[in-house]
Amino acid sequence: MPSDSLQASGSFLVVALSNIFGGVVASIHGVLMIIVVLVWDFGIVIFNLSTPNHASTRVVPQGYAGANGLWPKYDPPVEGNSRCSCPALNAMANHGILPHDGRNITFRELNTAVRTTYNFAPSFCYFVPNHMAGILDRNYWSDRFDLADLDVHNGVEHDASLTREDPFFQNDQSTVSVPLVEKLLKSGTGPNGDLTPADFSRLLSERRAESRARNPQYSQALQHKLLGSFNSAAMLTCFGGKIKDLRPFLLEERIPDNWQPQITSRMGLTLAAVNGVLARVELGVEDVGAKREKLKAA
Ligand code: HEM
């Protein structure tokens, strides 16, 4: 073999081996990270069970935006501001809890802001922004993002959402679909017309069937179904499914005056607790379109 091709195949081998090694290290690191977060989350579950809850009027810690129900002024976005598909993050930017322009946010800043504003547990507030950083191929510890960056399709953002048209119909995922939200707000069968887990299961069944029928690029992997149910679980836990609070939150992306998170556990909503609600919602979803496609294929 001539020496040039020997050198070329040698360097190909080095690149291939280092890629394989890098991939293996990254997978081990990923699995270890998940194990550490789950153990941490379990510790918080035990802590929450063995400590008294916050008083319902004093969930946000003193010294943080929203303590005693006093939220910073609501200031809707203006031209040039960055917003995304998540009402919870947009609302924080609209109140200046995250930078109002929605730009150059650190993942660590997002962690703290979600924890103190909505009382989600530190394990959740590390895991989700860290997962998001991975999707964007950025470093959780040192990189920054604009809110609109989070809308990468089929990352966390997905088809058949309850508050946004699919990206096939609406490229700008910060745009609230008023008809979809109005439908959601009229769907509660609980006391005062508030939303229950069964209501979210029904809404998601209808929305997935409708999206599958209308959107020629419709896709819904299992992880996206679970993310859809997770968002419903967030509305059920953090907002108690209450229409009077969900209306300004979803339509104006505004935190209501005097509002406090309905999650009162001492260290906040754990991944374990939110997954319990998520499972209840998702198990009640009837994916009629998927069943029909399976029957056709059989
Ligand atoms: C921790 C950081 C968070 C990130 C990175 C994030 C990201 C996202 C993304 C990308 C979407 C779009 C999903 C879709 O296509 O339907 C979304 C939707 C949503 N998120 Fe968040 N989110 C976060 C925290 C939260 C929290 C704390 C809450 C509740 C208090 C929340 C409530 C919602 C709701 C209600 C939706 C709308 C779901 C729909 O339209 O069906 N999120 N989020």
Side-chain angles (χ1 to χ4, degrees), residues 85-89 110 114 118 120 124 128 132 150 156-158 161-163 231 234-235 238:
S85 47
C86 178
L89 307 190
L110 176 65
V114 170
Y118 297 112
F120 277 57
F124 175 97
V128 177
M132 202 69 237
L150 305 182
V156 172
E157 190 286 318
H158 55 85
S161 310
L162 296 178
T163 69
N231 288 326
M235 290 188 258
C238 197

mmCIF file with all atom_site columns, all heavy atoms in Angstrom, residues 85-89 110 114 118 120 124 128 132 150 156-158 161-163 231 234-235 238, ligand 1:
data_model
loop_
_atom_site.group_PDB
_atom_site.id
_atom_site.type_symbol
_atom_site.label_atom_id
_atom_site.label_alt_id
_atom_site.label_comp_id
_atom_site.label_asym_id
_atom_site.label_entity_id
_atom_site.label_seq_id
_atom_site.pdbx_PDB_ins_code
_atom_site.Cartn_x
_atom_site.Cartn_y
_atom_site.Cartn_z
_atom_site.occupancy
_atom_site.B_iso_or_equiv
_atom_site.pdbx_formal_charge
_atom_site.auth_seq_id
_atom_site.auth_comp_id
_atom_site.auth_asym_id
_atom_site.auth_atom_id
_atom_site.pdbx_PDB_model_num
ATOM   1   N  N   . SER A 1 85  ? -42.749 29.021 22.455 1.00 0.00 ? 85  SER A N   1
ATOM   2   C  CA  . SER A 1 85  ? -43.983 28.236 22.536 1.00 0.00 ? 85  SER A CA  1
ATOM   3   C  C   . SER A 1 85  ? -44.424 27.962 23.975 1.00 0.00 ? 85  SER A C   1
ATOM   4   O  O   . SER A 1 85  ? -45.486 27.384 24.177 1.00 0.00 ? 85  SER A O   1
ATOM   5   C  CB  . SER A 1 85  ? -43.756 26.907 21.817 1.00 0.00 ? 85  SER A CB  1
ATOM   6   O  OG  . SER A 1 85  ? -42.525 26.344 22.245 1.00 0.00 ? 85  SER A OG  1
ATOM   7   N  N   . CYS A 1 86  ? -43.618 28.360 24.961 1.00 0.00 ? 86  CYS A N   1
ATOM   8   C  CA  . CYS A 1 86  ? -43.960 28.038 26.355 1.00 0.00 ? 86  CYS A CA  1
ATOM   9   C  C   . CYS A 1 86  ? -44.554 29.254 27.069 1.00 0.00 ? 86  CYS A C   1
ATOM   10  O  O   . CYS A 1 86  ? -43.856 30.241 27.313 1.00 0.00 ? 86  CYS A O   1
ATOM   11  C  CB  . CYS A 1 86  ? -42.716 27.557 27.114 1.00 0.00 ? 86  CYS A CB  1
ATOM   12  S  SG  . CYS A 1 86  ? -43.088 27.205 28.851 1.00 0.00 ? 86  CYS A SG  1
ATOM   13  N  N   . PRO A 1 87  ? -45.835 29.168 27.460 1.00 0.00 ? 87  PRO A N   1
ATOM   14  C  CA  . PRO A 1 87  ? -46.455 30.313 28.144 1.00 0.00 ? 87  PRO A CA  1
ATOM   15  C  C   . PRO A 1 87  ? -45.782 30.654 29.472 1.00 0.00 ? 87  PRO A C   1
ATOM   16  O  O   . PRO A 1 87  ? -45.735 31.828 29.862 1.00 0.00 ? 87  PRO A O   1
ATOM   17  C  CB  . PRO A 1 87  ? -47.907 29.865 28.379 1.00 0.00 ? 87  PRO A CB  1
ATOM   18  C  CG  . PRO A 1 87  ? -47.987 28.433 28.016 1.00 0.00 ? 87  PRO A CG  1
ATOM   19  C  CD  . PRO A 1 87  ? -46.768 28.048 27.251 1.00 0.00 ? 87  PRO A CD  1
ATOM   20  N  N   . ALA A 1 88  ? -45.229 29.623 30.144 1.00 0.00 ? 88  ALA A N   1
ATOM   21  C  CA  . ALA A 1 88  ? -44.635 29.857 31.468 1.00 0.00 ? 88  ALA A CA  1
ATOM   22  C  C   . ALA A 1 88  ? -43.364 30.704 31.358 1.00 0.00 ? 88  ALA A C   1
ATOM   23  O  O   . ALA A 1 88  ? -43.112 31.593 32.186 1.00 0.00 ? 88  ALA A O   1
ATOM   24  C  CB  . ALA A 1 88  ? -44.323 28.516 32.132 1.00 0.00 ? 88  ALA A CB  1
ATOM   25  N  N   . LEU A 1 89  ? -42.556 30.430 30.318 1.00 0.00 ? 89  LEU A N   1
ATOM   26  C  CA  . LEU A 1 89  ? -41.304 31.182 30.154 1.00 0.00 ? 89  LEU A CA  1
ATOM   27  C  C   . LEU A 1 89  ? -41.609 32.571 29.599 1.00 0.00 ? 89  LEU A C   1
ATOM   28  O  O   . LEU A 1 89  ? -41.006 33.566 30.017 1.00 0.00 ? 89  LEU A O   1
ATOM   29  C  CB  . LEU A 1 89  ? -40.333 30.423 29.242 1.00 0.00 ? 89  LEU A CB  1
ATOM   30  C  CG  . LEU A 1 89  ? -40.042 28.959 29.626 1.00 0.00 ? 89  LEU A CG  1
ATOM   31  C  CD1 . LEU A 1 89  ? -38.881 28.422 28.798 1.00 0.00 ? 89  LEU A CD1 1
ATOM   32  C  CD2 . LEU A 1 89  ? -39.753 28.779 31.097 1.00 0.00 ? 89  LEU A CD2 1
ATOM   33  N  N   . LEU A 1 110 ? -32.365 30.239 33.994 1.00 0.00 ? 110 LEU A N   1
ATOM   34  C  CA  . LEU A 1 110 ? -33.685 29.642 33.750 1.00 0.00 ? 110 LEU A CA  1
ATOM   35  C  C   . LEU A 1 110 ? -34.043 28.705 34.901 1.00 0.00 ? 110 LEU A C   1
ATOM   36  O  O   . LEU A 1 110 ? -35.169 28.726 35.417 1.00 0.00 ? 110 LEU A O   1
ATOM   37  C  CB  . LEU A 1 110 ? -33.658 28.872 32.419 1.00 0.00 ? 110 LEU A CB  1
ATOM   38  C  CG  . LEU A 1 110 ? -34.941 28.108 32.062 1.00 0.00 ? 110 LEU A CG  1
ATOM   39  C  CD1 . LEU A 1 110 ? -36.101 29.069 31.843 1.00 0.00 ? 110 LEU A CD1 1
ATOM   40  C  CD2 . LEU A 1 110 ? -34.742 27.262 30.801 1.00 0.00 ? 110 LEU A CD2 1
ATOM   41  N  N   . VAL A 1 114 ? -37.402 29.379 37.177 1.00 0.00 ? 114 VAL A N   1
ATOM   42  C  CA  . VAL A 1 114 ? -38.537 28.434 37.190 1.00 0.00 ? 114 VAL A CA  1
ATOM   43  C  C   . VAL A 1 114 ? -38.776 27.946 38.617 1.00 0.00 ? 114 VAL A C   1
ATOM   44  O  O   . VAL A 1 114 ? -39.915 27.832 39.079 1.00 0.00 ? 114 VAL A O   1
ATOM   45  C  CB  . VAL A 1 114 ? -38.280 27.239 36.236 1.00 0.00 ? 114 VAL A CB  1
ATOM   46  C  CG1 . VAL A 1 114 ? -39.321 26.146 36.422 1.00 0.00 ? 114 VAL A CG1 1
ATOM   47  C  CG2 . VAL A 1 114 ? -38.281 27.705 34.785 1.00 0.00 ? 114 VAL A CG2 1
ATOM   48  N  N   . TYR A 1 118 ? -42.412 29.179 39.976 1.00 0.00 ? 118 TYR A N   1
ATOM   49  C  CA  . TYR A 1 118 ? -43.494 28.184 39.879 1.00 0.00 ? 118 TYR A CA  1
ATOM   50  C  C   . TYR A 1 118 ? -43.400 27.069 40.928 1.00 0.00 ? 118 TYR A C   1
ATOM   51  O  O   . TYR A 1 118 ? -44.217 26.160 40.935 1.00 0.00 ? 118 TYR A O   1
ATOM   52  C  CB  . TYR A 1 118 ? -43.496 27.572 38.460 1.00 0.00 ? 118 TYR A CB  1
ATOM   53  C  CG  . TYR A 1 118 ? -43.780 28.596 37.379 1.00 0.00 ? 118 TYR A CG  1
ATOM   54  C  CD1 . TYR A 1 118 ? -42.797 28.986 36.461 1.00 0.00 ? 118 TYR A CD1 1
ATOM   55  C  CD2 . TYR A 1 118 ? -45.041 29.184 37.262 1.00 0.00 ? 118 TYR A CD2 1
ATOM   56  C  CE1 . TYR A 1 118 ? -43.065 29.924 35.460 1.00 0.00 ? 118 TYR A CE1 1
ATOM   57  C  CE2 . TYR A 1 118 ? -45.315 30.128 36.278 1.00 0.00 ? 118 TYR A CE2 1
ATOM   58  C  CZ  . TYR A 1 118 ? -44.330 30.489 35.376 1.00 0.00 ? 118 TYR A CZ  1
ATOM   59  O  OH  . TYR A 1 118 ? -44.603 31.421 34.395 1.00 0.00 ? 118 TYR A OH  1
ATOM   60  N  N   . PHE A 1 120 ? -41.168 24.553 41.168 1.00 0.00 ? 120 PHE A N   1
ATOM   61  C  CA  . PHE A 1 120 ? -40.768 23.235 40.684 1.00 0.00 ? 120 PHE A CA  1
ATOM   62  C  C   . PHE A 1 120 ? -39.477 22.872 41.421 1.00 0.00 ? 120 PHE A C   1
ATOM   63  O  O   . PHE A 1 120 ? -38.690 23.744 41.769 1.00 0.00 ? 120 PHE A O   1
ATOM   64  C  CB  . PHE A 1 120 ? -40.541 23.265 39.168 1.00 0.00 ? 120 PHE A CB  1
ATOM   65  C  CG  . PHE A 1 120 ? -41.823 23.114 38.363 1.00 0.00 ? 120 PHE A CG  1
ATOM   66  C  CD1 . PHE A 1 120 ? -42.887 23.996 38.535 1.00 0.00 ? 120 PHE A CD1 1
ATOM   67  C  CD2 . PHE A 1 120 ? -41.972 22.093 37.437 1.00 0.00 ? 120 PHE A CD2 1
ATOM   68  C  CE1 . PHE A 1 120 ? -44.071 23.867 37.806 1.00 0.00 ? 120 PHE A CE1 1
ATOM   69  C  CE2 . PHE A 1 120 ? -43.150 21.946 36.701 1.00 0.00 ? 120 PHE A CE2 1
ATOM   70  C  CZ  . PHE A 1 120 ? -44.199 22.840 36.883 1.00 0.00 ? 120 PHE A CZ  1
ATOM   71  N  N   . PHE A 1 124 ? -35.988 18.942 38.904 1.00 0.00 ? 124 PHE A N   1
ATOM   72  C  CA  . PHE A 1 124 ? -36.692 19.247 37.652 1.00 0.00 ? 124 PHE A CA  1
ATOM   73  C  C   . PHE A 1 124 ? -36.036 20.452 36.961 1.00 0.00 ? 124 PHE A C   1
ATOM   74  O  O   . PHE A 1 124 ? -35.791 20.437 35.747 1.00 0.00 ? 124 PHE A O   1
ATOM   75  C  CB  . PHE A 1 124 ? -38.171 19.567 37.957 1.00 0.00 ? 124 PHE A CB  1
ATOM   76  C  CG  . PHE A 1 124 ? -38.949 20.003 36.746 1.00 0.00 ? 124 PHE A CG  1
ATOM   77  C  CD1 . PHE A 1 124 ? -39.720 19.095 36.035 1.00 0.00 ? 124 PHE A CD1 1
ATOM   78  C  CD2 . PHE A 1 124 ? -38.893 21.317 36.279 1.00 0.00 ? 124 PHE A CD2 1
ATOM   79  C  CE1 . PHE A 1 124 ? -40.415 19.487 34.903 1.00 0.00 ? 124 PHE A CE1 1
ATOM   80  C  CE2 . PHE A 1 124 ? -39.580 21.714 35.144 1.00 0.00 ? 124 PHE A CE2 1
ATOM   81  C  CZ  . PHE A 1 124 ? -40.341 20.804 34.461 1.00 0.00 ? 124 PHE A CZ  1
ATOM   82  N  N   . VAL A 1 128 ? -34.627 19.716 33.103 1.00 0.00 ? 128 VAL A N   1
ATOM   83  C  CA  . VAL A 1 128 ? -35.268 20.178 31.861 1.00 0.00 ? 128 VAL A CA  1
ATOM   84  C  C   . VAL A 1 128 ? -34.379 21.199 31.115 1.00 0.00 ? 128 VAL A C   1
ATOM   85  O  O   . VAL A 1 128 ? -34.122 21.020 29.921 1.00 0.00 ? 128 VAL A O   1
ATOM   86  C  CB  . VAL A 1 128 ? -36.698 20.705 32.119 1.00 0.00 ? 128 VAL A CB  1
ATOM   87  C  CG1 . VAL A 1 128 ? -37.332 21.243 30.844 1.00 0.00 ? 128 VAL A CG1 1
ATOM   88  C  CG2 . VAL A 1 128 ? -37.565 19.565 32.675 1.00 0.00 ? 128 VAL A CG2 1
ATOM   89  N  N   . MET A 1 132 ? -32.716 20.672 27.468 1.00 0.00 ? 132 MET A N   1
ATOM   90  C  CA  . MET A 1 132 ? -32.910 21.665 26.407 1.00 0.00 ? 132 MET A CA  1
ATOM   91  C  C   . MET A 1 132 ? -31.542 22.090 25.848 1.00 0.00 ? 132 MET A C   1
ATOM   92  O  O   . MET A 1 132 ? -31.373 22.214 24.630 1.00 0.00 ? 132 MET A O   1
ATOM   93  C  CB  . MET A 1 132 ? -33.629 22.871 27.024 1.00 0.00 ? 132 MET A CB  1
ATOM   94  C  CG  . MET A 1 132 ? -34.362 23.750 26.087 1.00 0.00 ? 132 MET A CG  1
ATOM   95  S  SD  . MET A 1 132 ? -35.833 23.033 25.327 1.00 0.00 ? 132 MET A SD  1
ATOM   96  C  CE  . MET A 1 132 ? -35.397 23.217 23.609 1.00 0.00 ? 132 MET A CE  1
ATOM   97  N  N   . LEU A 1 150 ? -35.843 27.877 21.686 1.00 0.00 ? 150 LEU A N   1
ATOM   98  C  CA  . LEU A 1 150 ? -36.412 26.658 22.278 1.00 0.00 ? 150 LEU A CA  1
ATOM   99  C  C   . LEU A 1 150 ? -37.430 25.981 21.358 1.00 0.00 ? 150 LEU A C   1
ATOM   100 O  O   . LEU A 1 150 ? -37.848 24.863 21.602 1.00 0.00 ? 150 LEU A O   1
ATOM   101 C  CB  . LEU A 1 150 ? -37.105 26.988 23.618 1.00 0.00 ? 150 LEU A CB  1
ATOM   102 C  CG  . LEU A 1 150 ? -36.249 27.707 24.664 1.00 0.00 ? 150 LEU A CG  1
ATOM   103 C  CD1 . LEU A 1 150 ? -37.047 27.915 25.932 1.00 0.00 ? 150 LEU A CD1 1
ATOM   104 C  CD2 . LEU A 1 150 ? -34.971 26.925 24.971 1.00 0.00 ? 150 LEU A CD2 1
ATOM   105 N  N   . VAL A 1 156 ? -38.318 19.810 22.115 1.00 0.00 ? 156 VAL A N   1
ATOM   106 C  CA  . VAL A 1 156 ? -39.392 19.733 23.119 1.00 0.00 ? 156 VAL A CA  1
ATOM   107 C  C   . VAL A 1 156 ? -40.693 20.187 22.448 1.00 0.00 ? 156 VAL A C   1
ATOM   108 O  O   . VAL A 1 156 ? -41.761 19.609 22.669 1.00 0.00 ? 156 VAL A O   1
ATOM   109 C  CB  . VAL A 1 156 ? -39.056 20.620 24.350 1.00 0.00 ? 156 VAL A CB  1
ATOM   110 C  CG1 . VAL A 1 156 ? -40.252 20.706 25.292 1.00 0.00 ? 156 VAL A CG1 1
ATOM   111 C  CG2 . VAL A 1 156 ? -37.843 20.043 25.094 1.00 0.00 ? 156 VAL A CG2 1
ATOM   112 N  N   . GLU A 1 157 ? -40.605 21.197 21.602 1.00 0.00 ? 157 GLU A N   1
ATOM   113 C  CA  . GLU A 1 157 ? -41.773 21.666 20.837 1.00 0.00 ? 157 GLU A CA  1
ATOM   114 C  C   . GLU A 1 157 ? -42.222 20.543 19.893 1.00 0.00 ? 157 GLU A C   1
ATOM   115 O  O   . GLU A 1 157 ? -41.381 19.854 19.313 1.00 0.00 ? 157 GLU A O   1
ATOM   116 C  CB  . GLU A 1 157 ? -41.377 22.943 20.060 1.00 0.00 ? 157 GLU A CB  1
ATOM   117 C  CG  . GLU A 1 157 ? -42.545 23.672 19.404 1.00 0.00 ? 157 GLU A CG  1
ATOM   118 C  CD  . GLU A 1 157 ? -43.096 22.981 18.176 1.00 0.00 ? 157 GLU A CD  1
ATOM   119 O  OE1 . GLU A 1 157 ? -42.287 22.478 17.352 1.00 0.00 ? 157 GLU A OE1 1
ATOM   120 O  OE2 . GLU A 1 157 ? -44.316 22.905 18.051 1.00 0.00 ? 157 GLU A OE2 1
ATOM   121 N  N   . HIS A 1 158 ? -43.561 20.381 19.768 1.00 0.00 ? 158 HIS A N   1
ATOM   122 C  CA  . HIS A 1 158 ? -44.071 19.254 18.967 1.00 0.00 ? 158 HIS A CA  1
ATOM   123 C  C   . HIS A 1 158 ? -45.454 19.603 18.430 1.00 0.00 ? 158 HIS A C   1
ATOM   124 O  O   . HIS A 1 158 ? -46.059 20.594 18.849 1.00 0.00 ? 158 HIS A O   1
ATOM   125 C  CB  . HIS A 1 158 ? -44.144 18.006 19.850 1.00 0.00 ? 158 HIS A CB  1
ATOM   126 C  CG  . HIS A 1 158 ? -44.949 18.239 21.087 1.00 0.00 ? 158 HIS A CG  1
ATOM   127 N  ND1 . HIS A 1 158 ? -46.313 18.116 21.122 1.00 0.00 ? 158 HIS A ND1 1
ATOM   128 C  CD2 . HIS A 1 158 ? -44.582 18.661 22.324 1.00 0.00 ? 158 HIS A CD2 1
ATOM   129 C  CE1 . HIS A 1 158 ? -46.744 18.423 22.333 1.00 0.00 ? 158 HIS A CE1 1
ATOM   130 N  NE2 . HIS A 1 158 ? -45.721 18.771 23.079 1.00 0.00 ? 158 HIS A NE2 1
ATOM   131 N  N   . SER A 1 161 ? -50.193 20.597 19.965 1.00 0.00 ? 161 SER A N   1
ATOM   132 C  CA  . SER A 1 161 ? -50.209 21.289 21.264 1.00 0.00 ? 161 SER A CA  1
ATOM   133 C  C   . SER A 1 161 ? -51.606 21.855 21.508 1.00 0.00 ? 161 SER A C   1
ATOM   134 O  O   . SER A 1 161 ? -52.371 22.046 20.567 1.00 0.00 ? 161 SER A O   1
ATOM   135 C  CB  . SER A 1 161 ? -49.229 22.464 21.246 1.00 0.00 ? 161 SER A CB  1
ATOM   136 O  OG  . SER A 1 161 ? -47.992 22.037 20.778 1.00 0.00 ? 161 SER A OG  1
ATOM   137 N  N   . LEU A 1 162 ? -51.859 22.165 22.771 1.00 0.00 ? 162 LEU A N   1
ATOM   138 C  CA  . LEU A 1 162 ? -53.195 22.665 23.109 1.00 0.00 ? 162 LEU A CA  1
ATOM   139 C  C   . LEU A 1 162 ? -53.300 24.185 22.989 1.00 0.00 ? 162 LEU A C   1
ATOM   140 O  O   . LEU A 1 162 ? -54.401 24.729 23.048 1.00 0.00 ? 162 LEU A O   1
ATOM   141 C  CB  . LEU A 1 162 ? -53.550 22.246 24.543 1.00 0.00 ? 162 LEU A CB  1
ATOM   142 C  CG  . LEU A 1 162 ? -53.663 20.735 24.781 1.00 0.00 ? 162 LEU A CG  1
ATOM   143 C  CD1 . LEU A 1 162 ? -53.980 20.437 26.240 1.00 0.00 ? 162 LEU A CD1 1
ATOM   144 C  CD2 . LEU A 1 162 ? -54.733 20.130 23.861 1.00 0.00 ? 162 LEU A CD2 1
ATOM   145 N  N   . THR A 1 163 ? -52.162 24.868 22.829 1.00 0.00 ? 163 THR A N   1
ATOM   146 C  CA  . THR A 1 163 ? -52.221 26.341 22.797 1.00 0.00 ? 163 THR A CA  1
ATOM   147 C  C   . THR A 1 163 ? -51.591 26.943 21.545 1.00 0.00 ? 163 THR A C   1
ATOM   148 O  O   . THR A 1 163 ? -51.568 28.159 21.386 1.00 0.00 ? 163 THR A O   1
ATOM   149 C  CB  . THR A 1 163 ? -51.500 26.955 24.030 1.00 0.00 ? 163 THR A CB  1
ATOM   150 O  OG1 . THR A 1 163 ? -50.087 26.729 23.912 1.00 0.00 ? 163 THR A OG1 1
ATOM   151 C  CG2 . THR A 1 163 ? -52.001 26.378 25.332 1.00 0.00 ? 163 THR A CG2 1
ATOM   152 N  N   . ASN A 1 231 ? -47.114 18.910 29.801 1.00 0.00 ? 231 ASN A N   1
ATOM   153 C  CA  . ASN A 1 231 ? -47.584 20.300 29.855 1.00 0.00 ? 231 ASN A CA  1
ATOM   154 C  C   . ASN A 1 231 ? -48.978 20.393 30.465 1.00 0.00 ? 231 ASN A C   1
ATOM   155 O  O   . ASN A 1 231 ? -49.287 21.336 31.188 1.00 0.00 ? 231 ASN A O   1
ATOM   156 C  CB  . ASN A 1 231 ? -47.556 20.923 28.453 1.00 0.00 ? 231 ASN A CB  1
ATOM   157 C  CG  . ASN A 1 231 ? -46.123 21.190 28.008 1.00 0.00 ? 231 ASN A CG  1
ATOM   158 O  OD1 . ASN A 1 231 ? -45.270 21.513 28.825 1.00 0.00 ? 231 ASN A OD1 1
ATOM   159 N  ND2 . ASN A 1 231 ? -45.851 21.036 26.725 1.00 0.00 ? 231 ASN A ND2 1
ATOM   160 N  N   . ALA A 1 234 ? -48.534 20.112 34.062 1.00 0.00 ? 234 ALA A N   1
ATOM   161 C  CA  . ALA A 1 234 ? -48.050 21.373 34.649 1.00 0.00 ? 234 ALA A CA  1
ATOM   162 C  C   . ALA A 1 234 ? -49.225 22.323 34.914 1.00 0.00 ? 234 ALA A C   1
ATOM   163 O  O   . ALA A 1 234 ? -49.281 22.989 35.951 1.00 0.00 ? 234 ALA A O   1
ATOM   164 C  CB  . ALA A 1 234 ? -47.032 22.028 33.706 1.00 0.00 ? 234 ALA A CB  1
ATOM   165 N  N   . MET A 1 235 ? -50.198 22.340 33.989 1.00 0.00 ? 235 MET A N   1
ATOM   166 C  CA  . MET A 1 235 ? -51.361 23.222 34.196 1.00 0.00 ? 235 MET A CA  1
ATOM   167 C  C   . MET A 1 235 ? -52.237 22.720 35.348 1.00 0.00 ? 235 MET A C   1
ATOM   168 O  O   . MET A 1 235 ? -52.856 23.493 36.062 1.00 0.00 ? 235 MET A O   1
ATOM   169 C  CB  . MET A 1 235 ? -52.186 23.330 32.903 1.00 0.00 ? 235 MET A CB  1
ATOM   170 C  CG  . MET A 1 235 ? -51.468 24.109 31.816 1.00 0.00 ? 235 MET A CG  1
ATOM   171 S  SD  . MET A 1 235 ? -52.500 24.433 30.379 1.00 0.00 ? 235 MET A SD  1
ATOM   172 C  CE  . MET A 1 235 ? -51.894 23.200 29.221 1.00 0.00 ? 235 MET A CE  1
ATOM   173 N  N   . CYS A 1 238 ? -49.535 23.168 38.820 1.00 0.00 ? 238 CYS A N   1
ATOM   174 C  CA  . CYS A 1 238 ? -49.102 24.529 39.178 1.00 0.00 ? 238 CYS A CA  1
ATOM   175 C  C   . CYS A 1 238 ? -50.272 25.507 39.216 1.00 0.00 ? 238 CYS A C   1
ATOM   176 O  O   . CYS A 1 238 ? -50.286 26.459 39.985 1.00 0.00 ? 238 CYS A O   1
ATOM   177 C  CB  . CYS A 1 238 ? -48.064 24.970 38.138 1.00 0.00 ? 238 CYS A CB  1
ATOM   178 S  SG  . CYS A 1 238 ? -47.104 26.348 38.683 1.00 0.00 ? 238 CYS A SG  1
HETATM 179 C  C1  . HEM B 2 .   ? -37.997 24.425 32.775 1.00 0.00 ? 1   HEM B C1  1
HETATM 180 C  C2  . HEM B 2 .   ? -37.994 24.967 31.642 1.00 0.00 ? 1   HEM B C2  1
HETATM 181 C  C3  . HEM B 2 .   ? -39.069 24.832 30.574 1.00 0.00 ? 1   HEM B C3  1
HETATM 182 C  C4  . HEM B 2 .   ? -38.823 24.668 29.258 1.00 0.00 ? 1   HEM B C4  1
HETATM 183 C  C5  . HEM B 2 .   ? -37.441 24.572 28.594 1.00 0.00 ? 1   HEM B C5  1
HETATM 184 C  C6  . HEM B 2 .   ? -40.113 24.617 28.584 1.00 0.00 ? 1   HEM B C6  1
HETATM 185 C  C7  . HEM B 2 .   ? -40.288 24.473 27.224 1.00 0.00 ? 1   HEM B C7  1
HETATM 186 C  C8  . HEM B 2 .   ? -41.507 24.376 26.584 1.00 0.00 ? 1   HEM B C8  1
HETATM 187 C  C9  . HEM B 2 .   ? -41.688 24.163 25.169 1.00 0.00 ? 1   HEM B C9  1
HETATM 188 C  C10 . HEM B 2 .   ? -40.565 24.021 24.137 1.00 0.00 ? 1   HEM B C10 1
HETATM 189 C  C11 . HEM B 2 .   ? -43.028 24.116 24.940 1.00 0.00 ? 1   HEM B C11 1
HETATM 190 C  C12 . HEM B 2 .   ? -43.757 23.842 23.613 1.00 0.00 ? 1   HEM B C12 1
HETATM 191 C  C13 . HEM B 2 .   ? -44.315 22.419 23.635 1.00 0.00 ? 1   HEM B C13 1
HETATM 192 C  C14 . HEM B 2 .   ? -45.355 22.190 22.577 1.00 0.00 ? 1   HEM B C14 1
HETATM 193 O  O1  . HEM B 2 .   ? -45.025 22.191 21.382 1.00 0.00 ? 1   HEM B O1  1
HETATM 194 O  O2  . HEM B 2 .   ? -46.534 21.980 22.929 1.00 0.00 ? 1   HEM B O2  1
HETATM 195 C  C15 . HEM B 2 .   ? -43.698 24.331 26.197 1.00 0.00 ? 1   HEM B C15 1
HETATM 196 C  C16 . HEM B 2 .   ? -45.070 24.406 26.343 1.00 0.00 ? 1   HEM B C16 1
HETATM 197 C  C17 . HEM B 2 .   ? -45.700 24.599 27.530 1.00 0.00 ? 1   HEM B C17 1
HETATM 198 N  N1  . HEM B 2 .   ? -45.117 24.722 28.772 1.00 0.00 ? 1   HEM B N1  1
HETATM 199 FE FE1 . HEM B 2 .   ? -43.124 24.859 29.128 1.00 0.00 ? 1   HEM B FE1 1
HETATM 200 N  N2  . HEM B 2 .   ? -41.106 24.753 29.520 1.00 0.00 ? 1   HEM B N2  1
HETATM 201 C  C18 . HEM B 2 .   ? -40.521 24.888 30.756 1.00 0.00 ? 1   HEM B C18 1
HETATM 202 C  C19 . HEM B 2 .   ? -41.183 25.049 31.964 1.00 0.00 ? 1   HEM B C19 1
HETATM 203 C  C20 . HEM B 2 .   ? -42.550 25.102 32.130 1.00 0.00 ? 1   HEM B C20 1
HETATM 204 C  C21 . HEM B 2 .   ? -43.226 25.267 33.394 1.00 0.00 ? 1   HEM B C21 1
HETATM 205 C  C22 . HEM B 2 .   ? -42.531 25.439 34.740 1.00 0.00 ? 1   HEM B C22 1
HETATM 206 C  C23 . HEM B 2 .   ? -44.572 25.259 33.139 1.00 0.00 ? 1   HEM B C23 1
HETATM 207 C  C24 . HEM B 2 .   ? -45.725 25.435 34.086 1.00 0.00 ? 1   HEM B C24 1
HETATM 208 C  C25 . HEM B 2 .   ? -45.730 26.234 35.097 1.00 0.00 ? 1   HEM B C25 1
HETATM 209 C  C26 . HEM B 2 .   ? -44.731 25.069 31.711 1.00 0.00 ? 1   HEM B C26 1
HETATM 210 C  C27 . HEM B 2 .   ? -45.951 25.018 31.060 1.00 0.00 ? 1   HEM B C27 1
HETATM 211 C  C28 . HEM B 2 .   ? -46.114 24.873 29.705 1.00 0.00 ? 1   HEM B C28 1
HETATM 212 C  C29 . HEM B 2 .   ? -47.403 24.854 29.041 1.00 0.00 ? 1   HEM B C29 1
HETATM 213 C  C30 . HEM B 2 .   ? -48.767 25.011 29.711 1.00 0.00 ? 1   HEM B C30 1
HETATM 214 C  C31 . HEM B 2 .   ? -47.154 24.697 27.664 1.00 0.00 ? 1   HEM B C31 1
HETATM 215 C  C32 . HEM B 2 .   ? -48.184 24.709 26.522 1.00 0.00 ? 1   HEM B C32 1
HETATM 216 C  C33 . HEM B 2 .   ? -48.553 23.312 26.097 1.00 0.00 ? 1   HEM B C33 1
HETATM 217 C  C34 . HEM B 2 .   ? -49.433 23.244 24.875 1.00 0.00 ? 1   HEM B C34 1
HETATM 218 O  O3  . HEM B 2 .   ? -49.578 24.195 24.105 1.00 0.00 ? 1   HEM B O3  1
HETATM 219 O  O4  . HEM B 2 .   ? -49.996 22.143 24.684 1.00 0.00 ? 1   HEM B O4  1
HETATM 220 N  N3  . HEM B 2 .   ? -43.489 24.990 31.129 1.00 0.00 ? 1   HEM B N3  1
HETATM 221 N  N4  . HEM B 2 .   ? -42.757 24.473 27.192 1.00 0.00 ? 1   HEM B N4  1
#
